[in-house]
Amino acid sequence: MPIVVDHDERRLQVAAVVEQLVYEAGIEGLTIRDVARRAKCSTSVVSHYFTSKLELLIFTHRAVRNRAERRLLDGLEQGRSLQSSIESLLPMSDETWREWHTWFAFWGMAPAEPTVNQEWQAGTADANSIFVRLLEAARQSGEAPADLDPVTGSVKLQVVINGIATLVSQDRAGWPGERQKSLLREMLAATLGIVPPVGR
Amino acid sequence: MPIVVDHDERRLQVAAVVEQLVYEAGIEGLTIRDVARRAKCSTSVVSHYFTSKLELLIFTHRAVRNRAERRLLDGLEQGRSLQSSIESLLPMSDETWREWHTWFAFWGMAPAEPTVNQEWQAGTADANSIFVRLLEAARQSGEAPADLDPVTGSVKLQVVINGIATLVSQDRAGWPGERQKSLLREMLAATLGIVPPVGR
């Protein structure tokens, strides 16, 4: 019997290849042929899973953000501090730097394309709703002030995270992890009154 | 006699075409042929001014950021408030939205490419040095606290500006100008103690 590869799993494997290729050569150089070669399959197999390069890129963006969202939700379940959860998003490793690279590349796609616009909105809205939950938990644990509004706070949290990531991405050597953590801590304190628990 | 078009001016004209094409169709769809067609010249003319698509994209990124830097320096000369100067950067018009789109697209290019990396670093460093000057002026005018350190402050200012722009770019309809200005004002107050003069 042939090995049955799950359809969704196969799509995720192809998305991982796309993420890596975009990281290596930029979105401007991506071809379906390169994707097929790297995924060790034919272009017709790639076309079986994705009807166009556009769909492939949108799926990749979604796969990468879902992975980051999963990390945040895991942190929530494990009772991690807000500071520590957000640190897991910042570009401090090859994996997270590649994630941010994928997002920037995707944000440079054509805004006139409706499916691109939908995925942009879904991405920022999904992230926002997770940040609301993180801020609610931080309020309950005492890490955030009791009077913090998680809804307006989550927007500021997004500004701080995305803003730090844009700087790091353009000057990776200038931003070792400790510098990122320290700026995050300062800015979360100033904008949201977040004080991480001692020892974190 | 033939009309002599200045070399630099011609390069800037081509860069404006690139900026517009990337805005319309994303960096992933850009071809030298499209650039030539839109610039109403032959591909060999484009190749005369730029040796590669990479050089063309880097020059475009630089041209767009130089234009934005010029706006900030003009604001400084005219004694505009910091809040007002920074508002001129945020994506509130077709022009500024296109600028941010160019930057995000460029940030998604290949980090392994040394010239891309150099332009990233130059872009963020040049912006940073202008922000230091803006904060020094804001301190002198009383808009910023006397004890504000412009060097560490300028990094936070970059985080706030870039962070707001990332959110707006993904949900333009959700971010009318007034909402951006209001969030900017709140975050500048919280992170840097900036209080814009009344009437601005």
Side-chain angles (χ1 to χ4, degrees):
Chain A
M1 278 175 61
I3 297 168
V4 178
V5 179
D6 179 73
H7 185 265
D8 290 345
E9 193 186 315
R10 193 72 178 120
R11 279 164 67 92
L12 284 172
Q13 284 170 357
V14 174
V17 166
V18 171
E19 185 187 1
Q20 181 61 26
L21 286 174
V22 168
Y23 188 54
E24 289 174 13
I27 203 169
E28 73 281 8
L30 188 77
T31 67
I32 296 289
R33 183 179 299 217
D34 292 337
V35 174
R37 190 179 300 134
R38 188 70 70 95
K40 296 189 172 57
C41 63
S42 67
T43 55
S44 60
V45 168
V46 175
S47 303
H48 170 72
Y49 288 103
F50 298 99
T51 58
S52 66
K53 198 166 112 176
L54 179 65
E55 192 200 337
L56 183 54
L57 285 165
I58 289 173
F59 182 84
T60 300
H61 183 263
R62 192 180 303 131
V64 174
R65 71 179 175 85
N66 287 349
R67 191 172 64 211
E69 288 160 8
R70 189 68 255 161
R71 280 205 306 279
L72 290 176
L73 293 172
D74 286 349
L76 200 59
E77 278 174 24
Q78 293 156 11
R80 287 176 75 176
S81 71
L82 181 75
Q83 167 84 21
S84 161
S85 285
I86 301 303
E87 285 172 4
S88 79
L89 274 188
L90 291 179
M92 297 189 197
S93 65
D94 280 342
E95 185 190 356
T96 45
W97 207 53
R98 198 168 51 225
E99 287 175 357
W100 282 100
H101 185 267
T102 304
W103 296 327
F104 294 137
F106 190 77
W107 298 348
M109 286 181 68
E113 180 57 57
T115 49
V116 168
N117 240 301
Q118 282 159 22
E119 172 60 13
W120 280 346
Q121 283 185 36
T124 192
D126 288 353
N128 188 270
S129 69
I130 292 176
F131 291 137
V132 169
R133 291 176 58 191
L134 288 176
L135 286 178
E136 281 166 350
R139 210 170 51 174
Q140 279 175 14
S141 74
E143 192 179 358
D147 62 352
L148 177 73
D149 174 11
V151 173
T152 56
S154 66
V155 174
K156 293 177 187 168
L157 187 52
Q158 279 182 296
V159 167
V160 171
I161 296 165
N162 290 1
I164 293 175
T166 63
L167 294 192
V168 178
S169 294
Q170 292 176 82
D171 180 20
R172 195 177 186 182
W175 285 94
E178 287 309 316
R179 187 179 177 203
Q180 297 184 47
K181 290 180 190 177
S182 158
L183 180 60
L184 175 67
R185 189 179 289 253
E186 269 190 70
M187 293 200 72
L188 292 187
T191 55
L192 299 168
I194 302 285
V195 182
V198 177
R200 291 315 314 262
Chain B
M1 277 174 65
I3 297 168
V4 177
V5 179
D6 178 74
H7 186 264
D8 290 346
E9 193 186 316
R10 193 74 177 119
R11 279 165 68 94
L12 284 172
Q13 285 170 357
V14 174
V17 166
V18 171
E19 185 187 2
Q20 181 61 26
L21 286 174
V22 167
Y23 188 54
E24 290 173 14
I27 204 169
E28 73 281 9
L30 188 77
T31 67
I32 295 289
R33 185 179 298 219
D34 292 338
V35 174
R37 191 180 298 133
R38 188 69 72 93
K40 295 189 173 56
C41 64
S42 67
T43 55
S44 60
V45 169
V46 174
S47 302
H48 170 73
Y49 289 103
F50 298 97
T51 58
S52 66
K53 198 167 111 176
L54 178 66
E55 192 199 340
L56 183 55
L57 285 165
I58 288 172
F59 182 84
T60 300
H61 184 263
R62 192 179 304 131
V64 175
R65 72 179 175 83
N66 286 349
R67 192 170 64 211
E69 288 160 7
R70 190 67 254 162
R71 280 206 307 279
L72 290 176
L73 293 172
D74 286 349
L76 199 60
E77 279 174 25
Q78 294 156 11
R80 287 176 74 176
S81 71
L82 181 76
Q83 167 84 21
S84 162
S85 285
I86 302 302
E87 285 173 3
S88 79
L89 274 188
L90 290 179
M92 297 189 195
S93 65
D94 279 342
E95 185 191 357
T96 44
W97 207 53
R98 197 169 51 227
E99 287 175 356
W100 283 101
H101 185 267
T102 305
W103 296 328
F104 293 137
F106 189 77
W107 298 348
M109 285 181 69
E113 180 57 58
T115 48
V116 167
N117 240 302
Q118 281 159 21
E119 172 60 13
W120 280 347
Q121 283 185 35
T124 192
D126 288 354
N128 188 270
S129 70
I130 293 176
F131 291 139
V132 169
R133 291 176 58 189
L134 289 177
L135 285 177
E136 280 166 352
R139 208 170 51 173
Q140 278 175 13
S141 75
E143 192 180 356
D147 63 352
L148 177 72
D149 174 11
V151 174
T152 58
S154 66
V155 174
K156 293 177 186 169
L157 187 53
Q158 278 182 298
V159 167
V160 171
I161 297 166
N162 290 2
I164 293 177
T166 62
L167 294 192
V168 178
S169 294
Q170 293 177 82
D171 179 21
R172 195 179 185 179
W175 285 94
E178 286 309 317
R179 187 178 177 206
Q180 296 183 49
K181 290 180 192 178
S182 159
L183 180 59
L184 175 67
R185 188 178 291 253
E186 270 189 71
M187 294 199 70
L188 292 187
T191 55
L192 299 169
I194 303 286
V195 181
V198 176
R200 291 312 320 261

